[in-house]
Amino acid sequence: MGIELGMITIDCADPRGLAAFWTKALGVEVDQDHDGEFLILHAKAENGPVFAFQRVPEARVGKNRVHMDFGTDDMEKEVERLIGLGAKKVDRHEMPGFAWTVLADPVGNEFCVATHEG
């Protein structure tokens, strides 16, 4: 008995619009589109996390309490690519042996990008 991560669902006002950013950011396509109200993306890798976008009436208020962390071999290059797609740089953090950049997607959901080592 136990649980497994099935999907990461992001609430938003425009699921198709937000999915357009994330499909480019992740290099995936939309797998299911339920009349623009709920979209599910293809997983990037077999058994990898699946992202979904769900329409909700209320706007996000304050900082999101859960966020995604992504790893890459070239953090600076990937941050610039994501900014080119519509992300905004929020902050950069460093500590000995570990650095990451905080970004926000086009509607303000924060996520982090770091090198695979850190």
Side-chain angles (χ1 to χ4, degrees), residues 63 67-72 75-76 79 89-103 110-118:
K63 183 181 183 307
H67 68 268
M68 284 104 30
D69 293 323
F70 296 95
T72 182
M75 182 175 62
E76 299 304 324
V79 165
K89 185 175 179 179
V90 175
D91 207 350
R92 180 175 164 88
H93 300 277
E94 287 188 49
M95 58 181 60
F98 187 48
W100 67 97
T101 301
V102 180
L103 299 170
E110 294 181 6
F111 61 99
C112 296
V113 176
T115 59
H116 285 300
E117 292 79 36

Side-chain angles (χ1 to χ4, degrees), residues 32-47:
Q32 298 176 41
D33 183 337
H34 299 275
D35 296 322
E37 296 295 312
F38 190 78
L39 281 79
I40 302 172
L41 305 185
H42 282 286
K44 176 84 175 178
E46 186 176 342
N47 297 322

Side-chain angles (χ1 to χ4, degrees), residues 4-12 15 18-19 22-23 26 28 32 37-45 47-55 64-70 105 109-112:
E4 295 178 4
L5 179 62
M7 190 162 31
I8 299 166
T9 302
I10 299 173
D11 293 347
C12 56
L18 192 53
W22 283 103
T23 55
L26 298 170
V28 299
Q32 298 176 41
E37 296 295 312
F38 190 78
L39 281 79
I40 302 172
L41 305 185
H42 282 286
K44 176 84 175 178
N47 297 322
V50 174
F51 286 85
F53 305 91
Q54 160 176 276
R55 185 181 312 277
N64 43 311
R65 303 304 291 176
V66 175
H67 68 268
M68 284 104 30
D69 293 323
F70 296 95
D105 70 15
N109 297 303
E110 294 181 6
F111 61 99
C112 296

